[in-house]
Amino acid sequence: MSVLSYHSGAPSEAETRLLMTIRAKDEAIVSLQTENSMLRLKLAELRASLNTTRLQKDNMRRQYVHTHLALNNTRKKLKLCQNNIQALRFDVDEMRSFVEYFPSASSSSLQTCSQMFVQLQDQLLVKSNSITESLQEQLAAVREDYSKLRTLYEKEKKRRKALHNNIVELRGNIRVHCRVRPMLAFDQRLGGDACNSGATAKTAVGFAEEVISSTDDETVCVQTLRQQLSGVGVSTKHFDFDHVYAPMATQSDVFAEVQPLLTSLLDGYNVCLMAYGQTGSGKTHSMLGDGLESGVSSSDVWWHERTRSPGQYPEQCIDHGIIPRAAVEVFRTAHQNVMSHTKKTDLLVLWELLAGA
């Protein structure tokens, strides 16, 4: 029990300094809160800009596909015209053979056929030149549109990369996450052993049921034993993290926080993810999961992923951890972006390392 003393008169020099210190800290807290609000607004603006950029990229991709289809249709039309020209030439050759085959025909008939042949040949030449010029103009226009769309696509791709990494830097280049493991069967057994060894039933059962809990997505509450004059008591400590996963969080929830880092990885940035904790805390479960131990290989997940949407996994792979999911996501994104041969080789080496782990 603390005793408060009251005295009249002017405050002492120590109290004055204490009040000034408290006031300065309050002002610093207000300043930090204001700065935090500004950063959150900036992050929201960057996210909105990133979404807009993604929509523009999708529109340009659809335009590119449309232009590519138009180019293919033009090529088919050109091929059809060439076939028609070849057929007309074949008809001309047949007519020429017919005229040469009957030399006894009258000169007037022969002259008429010759004139018809010349006229047909001239018409064929004019039509062929007209069709060829039209198709060449269309092909040049399509190529110009394709070049413009390709330039815009590369520009928006660079802009998306810059915005994404700005968001990553705003969220923090170094982040510390905490995952709270749920109660397991051997935790209950440990609680019973503590009760049999002399601890009170209330204390043993309480700690067997819950020692660590998450109050929100950034705070962890830890209960510890503390020796007091009246006996053993329970004290509570709070720890703050960048993100906290509750005991009911799934493997997909954990990977959802890691997935944006894979975009930075494919953009050329170094990314490192490290699991730390005591024995039995769930590091292997979070990083590898239970699927690899049940006979389902990571390559099976990859082949399933080629026909599925992002984030959807086969039922037998739902408990896979961060490493197999990251490998699947890297290969899926690389397949969509049509990466170069060198990058594909590096990814194959990475895949073999992850599968071997």
Side-chain angles (χ1 to χ4, degrees):
M1 179 181 297
S2 61
V3 180
L4 301 176
S5 61
Y6 299 89
H7 31 131
S8 59
S12 63
E13 182 179 355
E15 293 176 345
T16 302
R17 287 198 301 269
L18 180 59
L19 290 174
M20 293 178 64
T21 302
I22 294 174
R23 189 174 303 166
K25 290 183 177 180
D26 291 340
E27 293 176 355
I29 291 174
V30 172
S31 176
L32 289 174
Q33 290 177 347
T34 303
E35 184 179 356
N36 187 26
S37 300
M38 293 178 65
L39 288 175
R40 289 180 182 272
L41 289 175
K42 186 176 180 181
L43 178 60
E45 293 176 357
L46 287 174
R47 285 178 175 171
S49 178
L50 179 59
N51 292 333
T52 303
T53 303
R54 286 176 176 171
L55 291 175
Q56 293 176 355
K57 184 185 71 173
D58 293 338
N59 291 333
M60 285 189 292
R61 182 176 293 174
R62 287 193 291 271
Q63 293 177 3
Y64 166 75
V65 172
H66 179 72
T67 304
H68 188 68
L69 291 176
L71 179 61
N72 290 335
N73 291 332
T74 303
R75 289 175 177 173
K76 291 179 181 178
K77 291 180 180 179
L78 179 60
K79 183 66 175 179
L80 181 61
C81 291
Q82 290 176 349
N83 293 334
N84 292 335
I85 292 173
Q86 187 68 23
L88 290 174
R89 288 177 178 174
F90 180 78
D91 293 338
V92 170
D93 293 336
E94 284 186 346
M95 185 178 294
R96 182 182 297 166
S97 300
F98 178 79
V99 171
E100 294 174 355
Y101 183 74
F102 295 98
S104 60
S106 63
S107 59
S108 59
S109 299
L110 182 59
Q111 185 178 3
T112 303
C113 291
S114 300
Q115 292 176 354
M116 290 177 61
F117 172 73
V118 172
Q119 292 177 358
L120 182 60
Q121 191 173 18
D122 293 339
Q123 292 177 2
L124 175 62
L125 182 61
V126 172
K127 188 175 181 179
S128 175
N129 292 335
S130 176
I131 293 174
T132 303
E133 290 176 359
S134 177
L135 291 178
Q136 287 179 351
E137 290 177 357
Q138 293 181 10
L139 184 61
V142 169
R143 286 178 177 175
E144 184 179 359
D145 293 339
Y146 172 80
S147 178
K148 291 180 180 179
L149 289 175
R150 185 68 181 180
T151 303
L152 290 175
Y153 174 76
E154 293 296 334
K155 182 179 178 181
E156 294 300 327
K157 183 178 179 181
K158 292 179 181 178
R159 185 179 178 187
R160 191 275 312 160
K161 177 180 177 181
L163 289 175
H164 173 78
N165 288 286
N166 285 337
I167 291 177
V168 172
E169 290 178 0
L170 286 175
R171 294 184 64 184
N173 289 330
I174 299 178
R175 307 176 205 166
V176 180
H177 291 192
C178 176
R179 187 177 188 183
V180 180
R181 180 175 64 78
M183 295 287 294
L184 300 178
F186 75 90
D187 295 319
Q188 299 292 341
R189 292 196 298 270
L190 289 177
D193 294 341
C195 182
N196 294 331
S197 63
T200 62
K202 179 178 180 181
T203 302
V205 174
F207 274 83
E209 291 179 352
E210 183 180 59
V211 175
I212 301 176
S213 61
S214 57
T215 58
D216 53 32
D217 59 353
E218 294 182 355
T219 306
V220 171
C221 178
V222 181
Q223 296 182 6
T224 60
L225 292 176
R226 184 177 181 182
Q227 188 70 28
Q228 298 179 352
L229 296 177
S230 58
V232 178
V234 178
S235 62
T236 302
K237 295 183 179 180
H238 297 273
F239 300 90
D240 294 333
F241 297 88
D242 293 325
H243 189 83
V244 175
Y245 304 97
M248 68 285 300
T250 63
Q251 298 283 61
S252 299
D253 297 334
V254 177
F255 183 70
E257 291 292 326
V258 179
Q259 189 173 6
L261 298 177
L262 299 179
T263 303
S264 299
L265 174 65
L266 292 176
D267 288 341
Y269 292 86
N270 293 327
V271 177
C272 176
L273 184 66
M274 180 180 66
Y276 177 80
Q278 65 184 26
T279 302
S281 59
K283 302 184 296 298
T284 303
H285 176 75
S286 296
M287 297 301 289
L288 293 178
D290 299 328
L292 297 179
E293 300 174 358
S294 62
V296 180
S297 65
S298 299
S299 58
D300 295 333
V301 184
W302 159 241
W303 291 114
H304 279 287
E305 269 298 296
R306 296 192 66 178
T307 57
R308 290 175 176 261
S309 300
Q312 295 183 353
Y313 284 81
E315 183 178 356
Q316 68 270 29
C317 307
I318 198 66
D319 288 331
H320 277 191
I322 293 175
I323 290 179
R325 289 172 183 263
V328 168
E329 189 66 16
V330 166
F331 275 99
R332 185 189 63 79
T333 306
H335 180 72
Q336 288 183 348
N337 293 340
V338 192
M339 302 180 69
S340 64
H341 177 73
T342 303
K343 293 185 178 179
K344 285 184 178 179
T345 303
D346 294 337
L347 287 172
L348 288 174
V349 175
L350 172 63
W351 174 252
E352 292 177 358
L353 291 175
L354 293 176

